[in-house]
Amino acid sequence: AQKITQTQPGMFVQEKEAVTLDCTYDTSDQSYGLFWYKQPSSGEMIFLIYQGSYDEQNATEGRYSLNFQKARKSANLVISASQLGDSAMYFCAMREFYNFNKFYFGSGTKLNVKP
Amino acid sequence: DVKVTQSSRYLVKRTGEKVFLECVQDMDHENMFWYRQDPGLGLRLIYFSYDVKMKEKGDIPEGYSVSREKKERFSLILESASTNQTSMYLCASSLSADNEQFFGPGTRLTVL
């Protein structure tokens, strides 16, 4: 079974609008962490935001927020006020703390921001 | 500034050659990782290491081996390269379980 599922291979959003990128995960561990990374066309992986499984508040970092719904095992990334520079691949990832700290990545969502 | 470097950005090898991909981090991180990235498949974990001389298999270790003789260096070895190992290889490191990974710039390997 897939550990991380990103069901949107590609998305478009109008500049200055908000967009939600979906991520669902599968784990039986109680302790895990959820991460979002951005990969522009230049190829580098840029860390955006982190949510721990015991964090009660949704994580926020500037224009990025993570909509964490533990019971539904979803960790959607919300980007507010999209900018042209947000056009990139976005990867959701999970780390299981008691499974040798293994990381799992989703297949990614390609976001295109239209002017 | 945090830094993960990889020995080559682009590499072209022939089938059957032994290939070494080197990764160095300057952050004194315990954990280091090797991934390959293929279109539509995201990043898949090949091997990781949580300490010097320690290694654990990831999801796709077949055809690969690793070496971690020093804390800052994690090497990926393709004993006998094959065309299906043509891919982008990304190295990453992290301090601990609840810290993010820092990635290197990647090595695009082509096996002819």
Side-chain angles (χ1 to χ4, degrees):
Chain A
Q2 290 272 35
K3 285 284 191 178
I4 296 285
T5 302
Q6 293 181 255
T7 56
Q8 306 152 314
M11 286 190 73
F12 285 91
V13 65
Q14 201 69 39
E15 194 178 7
K16 297 180 187 171
E17 290 186 354
V19 63
T20 298
L21 307 184
D22 294 341
C23 172
T24 57
Y25 59 93
D26 180 26
T27 182
S28 54
D29 281 3
Q30 296 302 309
S31 294
Y32 53 90
L34 297 157
F35 303 78
W36 277 92
Y37 287 84
K38 172 184 178 182
Q39 187 180 42
S41 55
S42 53
E44 77 269 31
M45 293 283 282
I46 302 166
F47 166 72
L48 296 178
I49 196 166
Y50 166 79
Q51 178 88 39
S53 58
Y54 293 114
D55 295 339
E56 294 187 355
Q57 303 255 21
N58 285 343
T60 59
E61 289 285 347
R63 294 186 299 110
Y64 304 108
S65 60
L66 200 152
N67 184 0
F68 181 45
Q69 297 187 45
K70 195 170 182 176
R72 297 179 66 180
K73 294 188 175 177
S74 77
N76 299 339
L77 177 71
V78 181
I79 305 174
S80 62
S82 298
Q83 301 172 357
L84 295 178
D86 293 335
S87 293
M89 281 289 284
Y90 288 82
F91 291 96
C92 179
M94 175 178 67
R95 189 170 196 173
E96 293 176 325
F97 294 173
Y98 297 116
N99 188 10
F100 292 106
N101 294 324
K102 285 181 76 170
F103 257 89
Y104 302 93
F105 279 81
S107 54
T109 294
K110 181 145 178 59
L111 178 67
N112 284 291
V113 180
K114 297 188 290 184
Chain B
D1 208 13
V2 160
K3 202 150 186 183
V4 179
T5 56
Q6 294 183 230
S7 48
S8 307
R9 288 301 302 269
Y10 300 94
L11 209 52
V12 180
K13 295 291 181 181
R14 298 214 171 268
T15 302
E17 279 193 79
K18 191 168 186 175
V19 182
F20 292 88
L21 302 182
E22 303 284 337
C23 176
V24 177
Q25 50 97 0
D26 65 359
M27 298 161 282
D28 203 34
H29 284 173
E30 303 290 337
N31 305 289
M32 295 188 75
F33 306 80
W34 274 107
Y35 295 91
R36 63 177 283 176
Q37 182 178 11
D38 301 288
L41 297 177
L43 278 73
R44 292 180 292 166
L45 182 63
I46 304 172
Y47 267 96
F48 65 103
S49 167
Y50 50 89
D51 204 350
V52 176
K53 296 192 187 293
M54 305 300 286
K55 59 186 179 185
E56 292 290 337
K57 292 180 180 178
D59 298 314
I60 50 164
E62 296 79 20
Y64 303 94
S65 62
V66 290
S67 170
R68 192 157 180 211
E69 295 296 319
K70 293 185 176 181
K71 192 175 187 180
E72 67 271 17
R73 188 179 298 269
F74 192 36
S75 303
L76 180 69
I77 304 150
L78 288 66
E79 293 290 341
S80 177
S82 62
T83 54
N84 62 12
Q85 292 178 310
T86 292
S87 186
M88 170 69 88
Y89 289 87
L90 291 166
C91 174
S93 72
S94 73
L95 181 61
S96 66
D98 55 355
N99 288 104
E100 73 271 27
Q101 292 184 325
F102 294 90
F103 282 83
T107 296
R108 186 164 294 281
L109 172 68
T110 302
V111 183
L112 302 175

